[in-house]
Amino acid sequence: EVQLQASGGGLVQAGGSLRLSCAASGFTFDDYAIGWFRQAPGKECKGHSCKGVSCILLSAGSTYYADSVKGRFTISRDNAKNTVYLQMNSLKPEDTAVYYCAAEKFPRVFTIDQCMGVVKGSDYWGQGTQVTVSS
Protein backbone atom coordinates (compact mmCIF):
# COMPACT_ATOMS: atom_id res chain seq x y z
CA GLU A 1 0.00 0.00 0.00
CA VAL A 2 1.36 3.40 -1.00
CA GLN A 3 1.74 5.69 1.99
CA LEU A 4 3.06 9.24 2.16
CA GLN A 5 3.85 11.19 5.32
CA ALA A 6 4.42 14.92 4.98
CA SER A 7 6.06 16.88 7.77
CA GLY A 8 8.15 19.96 8.51
CA GLY A 9 5.62 22.75 8.34
CA GLY A 10 5.45 25.56 10.85
CA LEU A 11 5.29 29.28 11.46
CA VAL A 12 8.06 31.44 10.07
CA GLN A 13 8.61 35.11 9.39
CA ALA A 14 8.82 36.43 5.85
CA GLY A 15 12.30 35.84 4.47
CA GLY A 16 12.76 32.73 6.57
CA SER A 17 13.18 29.10 5.60
CA LEU A 18 11.53 25.75 6.19
CA ARG A 19 12.26 22.25 4.95
CA LEU A 20 9.37 19.91 4.26
CA SER A 21 9.79 16.15 4.12
CA CYS A 22 7.69 13.53 2.37
CA ALA A 23 8.44 10.01 3.58
CA ALA A 24 7.17 7.40 1.16
CA SER A 25 6.58 3.67 1.40
CA GLY A 26 4.78 0.87 -0.39
CA PHE A 27 6.15 1.30 -3.90
CA THR A 28 9.29 1.00 -5.98
CA PHE A 29 10.82 4.42 -5.51
CA ASP A 30 12.59 4.63 -8.85
CA ASP A 31 9.39 4.11 -10.86
CA TYR A 32 7.61 7.10 -9.42
CA ALA A 33 7.49 10.87 -9.35
CA ILE A 34 6.60 12.89 -6.27
CA GLY A 35 5.12 16.33 -6.33
CA TRP A 36 4.42 19.02 -3.79
CA PHE A 37 1.15 20.93 -3.94
CA ARG A 38 -0.41 23.60 -1.79
CA GLN A 39 -3.92 24.60 -0.90
CA ALA A 40 -5.65 27.16 1.26
CA PRO A 41 -6.57 25.77 4.71
CA GLY A 42 -9.96 24.12 4.89
CA LYS A 43 -9.96 22.93 1.29
CA GLU A 44 -9.14 19.42 0.19
CA CYS A 45 -6.14 18.95 -2.05
CA LYS A 46 -6.86 16.15 -4.47
CA GLY A 47 -7.17 16.00 -8.20
CA HIS A 48 -7.04 19.39 -9.83
CA SER A 49 -8.18 21.52 -6.93
CA CYS A 50 -4.79 22.64 -5.64
CA LYS A 51 -1.71 24.35 -7.00
CA GLY A 52 1.40 22.51 -8.07
CA VAL A 53 4.60 23.73 -6.47
CA SER A 54 7.36 21.36 -7.49
CA CYS A 55 7.91 17.86 -8.83
CA ILE A 56 10.76 15.39 -9.05
CA LEU A 57 11.38 12.19 -10.97
CA LEU A 58 12.73 9.75 -8.42
CA SER A 59 14.86 7.81 -10.90
CA ALA A 60 16.58 10.58 -12.84
CA GLY A 61 16.23 13.35 -10.27
CA SER A 62 14.84 15.77 -12.84
CA THR A 63 12.93 18.62 -11.27
CA TYR A 64 10.14 21.05 -12.08
CA TYR A 65 9.14 24.26 -10.31
CA ALA A 66 6.17 26.52 -10.57
CA ASP A 67 7.16 30.04 -11.62
CA SER A 68 6.04 31.41 -8.26
CA VAL A 69 8.71 29.43 -6.38
CA LYS A 70 11.58 29.24 -8.87
CA GLY A 71 14.84 30.36 -7.33
CA ARG A 72 13.44 30.09 -3.78
CA PHE A 73 12.41 26.43 -3.40
CA THR A 74 14.52 23.35 -4.04
CA ILE A 75 13.16 19.83 -4.31
CA SER A 76 15.45 16.86 -3.71
CA ARG A 77 15.26 13.19 -2.92
CA ASP A 78 17.11 10.68 -0.79
CA ASN A 79 16.41 7.32 -2.38
CA ALA A 80 18.07 5.45 0.48
CA LYS A 81 15.54 6.96 2.89
CA ASN A 82 12.62 6.96 0.43
CA THR A 83 12.14 10.62 1.23
CA VAL A 84 11.63 13.75 -0.82
CA TYR A 85 12.43 17.18 0.57
CA LEU A 86 11.25 20.66 -0.29
CA GLN A 87 13.66 23.32 0.92
CA MET A 88 11.81 26.62 1.03
CA ASN A 89 13.87 29.79 1.32
CA SER A 90 12.95 33.47 1.14
CA LEU A 91 9.43 32.63 2.19
CA LYS A 92 6.66 35.12 1.51
CA PRO A 93 3.25 35.55 3.15
CA GLU A 94 1.66 34.33 -0.08
CA ASP A 95 3.40 30.97 0.44
CA THR A 96 1.08 30.37 3.39
CA ALA A 97 -0.90 27.19 2.71
CA VAL A 98 -1.25 23.56 3.60
CA TYR A 99 1.39 21.65 1.66
CA TYR A 100 0.74 18.14 0.40
CA CYS A 101 2.93 15.59 -1.31
CA ALA A 102 1.62 13.06 -3.79
CA ALA A 103 3.18 10.17 -5.69
CA GLU A 104 2.39 8.57 -9.00
CA LYS A 105 4.05 6.05 -11.28
CA PHE A 106 5.77 8.02 -14.00
CA PRO A 107 6.09 6.63 -17.53
CA ARG A 108 9.71 6.76 -18.65
CA VAL A 109 8.69 8.16 -22.06
CA PHE A 110 7.25 11.26 -20.42
CA THR A 111 9.27 14.41 -19.76
CA ILE A 112 9.70 16.48 -16.61
CA ASP A 113 7.23 19.06 -17.94
CA GLN A 114 4.51 16.44 -17.54
CA CYS A 115 5.43 15.62 -13.96
CA MET A 116 3.01 17.96 -12.24
CA GLY A 117 0.08 16.87 -14.36
CA VAL A 118 0.77 13.17 -13.89
CA VAL A 119 1.15 13.38 -10.12
CA LYS A 120 -1.85 15.66 -9.67
CA GLY A 121 -4.13 12.85 -10.83
CA SER A 122 -2.77 10.42 -8.27
CA ASP A 123 -4.83 8.66 -5.63
CA TYR A 124 -1.84 8.69 -3.29
CA TRP A 125 -1.58 11.83 -1.17
CA GLY A 126 0.03 12.64 2.15
CA GLN A 127 -1.96 14.26 4.94
CA GLY A 128 -0.69 17.83 4.52
CA THR A 129 1.50 20.07 6.63
CA GLN A 130 0.67 23.69 7.44
CA VAL A 131 3.09 26.44 6.45
CA THR A 132 2.37 29.91 7.78
CA VAL A 133 4.52 32.88 6.80
CA SER A 134 3.98 36.04 8.79
CA SER A 135 4.74 39.48 7.39
Side-chain angles (χ1 to χ4, degrees), residues 1-34:
E1 179 187 2
V2 175
Q3 292 189 334
L4 301 167
Q5 181 76 30
S7 62
L11 172 64
V12 65
Q13 287 188 330
S17 299
L18 283 173
R19 189 178 80 156
L20 306 184
S21 299
C22 178
S25 62
F27 59 90
T28 303
F29 212 58
D30 283 354
D31 292 341
Y32 276 68
I34 285 183

Side-chain angles (χ1 to χ4, degrees), residues 40-130:
K43 296 184 179 180
E44 194 178 53
C45 188
K46 274 194 176 181
H48 298 277
S49 67
C50 52
K51 294 183 179 180
V53 175
S54 184
C55 201
I56 187 167
L57 306 187
L58 298 179
S59 57
S62 305
T63 58
Y64 170 88
Y65 298 95
D67 287 342
S68 58
V69 306
K70 272 182 188 174
R72 300 188 298 122
F73 291 10
T74 302
I75 191 170
S76 62
R77 92 272 196 223
D78 184 335
N79 286 21
K81 295 183 178 179
N82 282 9
T83 300
V84 167
Y85 304 99
L86 186 68
Q87 178 67 42
M88 305 187 296
N89 298 329
S90 302
L91 282 162
K92 304 175 181 180
E94 51 263 44
D95 295 318
T96 295
V98 179
Y99 283 70
Y100 297 83
C101 59
E104 184 55 64
K105 198 163 186 179
F106 194 82
R108 292 183 183 267
V109 296
F110 283 17
T111 66
I112 187 60
D113 289 340
Q114 296 167 289
C115 187
M116 216 82 257
V118 169
V119 178
K120 208 171 195 180
S122 174
D123 291 329
Y124 307 120
W125 291 74
Q127 82 287 6
T129 184
Q130 173 73 48

